[in-house]
Amino acid sequence: MTTQGKKTTTPAGSAKRALVGRLSWGLADQAASSISNFAVGIYVARSLGVTAFGVFSLAWVTYGVVLNVSRGLATDPLVVRFSGVPDASWRGAVARSTGTALGVGAALGAVSLVAGLGLGGRVGPAFAALGVMLPGLLLQDAWRFSFFAAGAGRKAFVNDVVWGIALVPAMVAAARVGSVAAFVLAWGASATVAAAYGYLQSGIRPRMTQARGWLREQRDLGYRYLVENVSLSGASQLRAYGLGAIVGLGAVGAVRGAELLLGPFLAVLMGLSLVTVPEAARVLRQAPHRLGRFCLLLGGGQAGGALLWGAALLLMPDRLGELVLGDVWHSSAQLIVPITLGVAGAGLGTGAAAGLRALGAARRSLRCQLFASACYVGGGLGGAAVAGTVGSAWGVAAATVSGSAVWWLQLRSALREHHPNSVPEVRTS
């Protein structure tokens, strides 16, 4: 239908374009974050050497655990309960949520600082530096999720670009010093610059004094998400340590090599994960009867994409694989099929996970995550004991698919229980 030669925009078409736009900004933001993280890793490794890079990696892994703590307590409840709400409600929630993230960074940063000073040696200064930088690192991440909750993914992308730009002179200065602590400080200082810019972007001042109130208000979600997030990252670490002990460090390298081959697709999954819960929450509020279909399309699309990517890897010539991974290629190539199936299973499960979080079914999602994490560790280590590296990869694949089935069973039950005229997740204060 046209009016004066121009097509009118239907509400459905406009909503779809808005959804595609938000998803695109999620992918763009993750691309910016992944590129900067990859560049930091390569630059530090080339500047410091293997042993010192190992110390930097310990600080990096510790940051990952603390980040999951912050997300569980501060930003995961935010995106569930304050996505697509009126601006005044969102701003009040963001002030409390970012204040909570800042408080978590200050508290755990103090612990890291004291531990680092007590450890001394080569590891101590790195953890002391991390402790100083944790508040800025966690606040920067909190701004990203706050912007996605508001449907303003462009601001999150710009914030990550600012971090990437600030990294350049910071890393150059750290290279002149040549210590692990200098690189940790440079990495964290550039994140703090982006965190300060987030304040300028939003005009919202984080309120640490209201962190206790936020934790009290969100305790039905926050503490469960905390356990859920930490179990997720902890399972991966336990599997890696156990695989190294059972089979050897070469096995860990082979698995990591195969995961690197799937790196671009995993970056896409991570980018989508930034917006899936806010989008599912919007669907729940605007058209509750469509939530199940939305989650199925989301999970099915990710699983299909993983299978296509894995098929492309199987067709990769050995010469190209050796160019990418060197000697690691030959041991990693035989893991492509099980690791691809594992990623496809995880992608399918994320659709159901987004639905459970949008419904605020924290007890169900925690149950699913604990089951999936236990299966992941058990399958990975049990497979390693039976059939080495390949057995571990197949064990993880089977565990991931089983975990995905549980996610979907729990989502189906939660959808049956949900009453469309009562959405307890919506908060206005």
Side-chain angles (χ1 to χ4, degrees), residues 88-132:
S89 178
W90 173 80
R91 293 179 69 84
V94 168
R96 301 195 300 278
S97 175
T98 53
T100 302
L102 201 55
V104 170
L108 296 183
V111 173
S112 181
L113 175 61
V114 171
L117 294 175
L119 284 171
R122 303 189 69 172
V123 176
F127 277 84
L130 177 65
V132 174

Side-chain angles (χ1 to χ4, degrees), residues 50 52 70 97 109 112 114 135 145 169 222 262 269 292 337 404 417:
V50 176
S70 176
S97 175
S112 181
V114 171
F145 281 82
L262 285 158
L269 286 185
V337 172
S404 178
E417 294 175 356

Side-chain angles (χ1 to χ4, degrees), residues 48-348:
L48 296 180
V50 176
T51 303
F53 181 63
V55 176
F56 181 85
S57 298
L58 286 177
W60 187 290
V61 169
T62 303
Y63 159 70
V65 175
V66 175
L67 183 64
N68 277 326
V69 172
S70 176
R71 287 178 177 178
L73 295 176
T75 53
D76 283 347
L78 175 75
V79 297
V80 168
R81 286 180 162 153
F82 295 92
S83 293
V85 300
D87 184 67
S89 178
W90 173 80
R91 293 179 69 84
V94 168
R96 301 195 300 278
S97 175
T98 53
T100 302
L102 201 55
V104 170
L108 296 183
V111 173
S112 181
L113 175 61
V114 171
L117 294 175
L119 284 171
R122 303 189 69 172
V123 176
F127 277 84
L130 177 65
V132 174
M133 293 293 106
L134 273 176
L137 284 161
L138 298 189
L139 180 58
Q140 191 275 336
D141 185 75
W143 286 127
R144 294 174 68 205
F145 281 82
S146 298
F147 292 140
F148 278 112
R154 180 181 61 83
K155 289 185 177 181
F157 169 74
V158 172
N159 194 275
D160 266 328
V161 170
V162 168
W163 186 2
I165 293 173
L167 267 171
V168 176
M171 286 290 155
V172 171
R176 293 180 178 177
V177 178
S179 68
V180 177
F183 278 103
V184 174
L185 289 172
W187 170 50
S190 56
T192 303
V193 170
Y197 183 66
Y199 166 72
L200 296 177
Q201 287 177 292
S202 65
I204 300 172
R205 182 166 62 88
R207 297 188 179 276
M208 286 181 60
T209 56
Q210 297 183 13
R212 181 175 298 179
W214 174 263
L215 293 175
R216 184 172 57 251
E217 292 170 12
Q218 312 302 328
R219 63 181 178 274
D220 57 327
L221 297 183
Y223 295 115
R224 290 191 176 97
Y225 288 160
L226 168 64
V227 176
E228 187 177 325
N229 290 352
V230 172
S231 70
L232 176 63
S233 58
S236 178
Q237 294 300 316
L238 286 175
R239 186 256 182 140
Y241 296 150
L243 182 61
I246 295 171
V247 184
L249 293 177
V252 180
V255 170
R256 180 56 182 158
E259 291 174 346
L260 284 174
L261 293 173
L262 285 158
F265 183 77
L266 292 174
V268 172
L269 286 185
M270 292 176 67
L272 289 174
S273 70
L274 291 170
V275 294
T276 50
V277 176
E279 291 306 322
R282 287 187 178 89
V283 172
L284 178 63
R285 294 189 177 100
Q286 297 170 7
H289 61 285
R290 295 180 180 175
L291 180 61
R293 182 184 177 189
F294 172 83
C295 294
L296 182 60
L297 291 174
L298 178 66
Q302 292 179 92
L307 293 175
L308 289 174
W309 188 271
L313 291 176
L314 290 174
L315 299 175
M316 180 185 295
D318 286 341
R319 182 179 301 177
L320 182 57
E322 292 171 357
L323 179 64
V324 175
L325 293 179
D327 294 337
V328 179
W329 162 253
H330 297 288
S331 56
S332 296
Q334 59 184 328
L335 306 180
I336 289 175
V337 172
I339 287 182
T340 297
L341 292 176
V343 173
L348 183 62

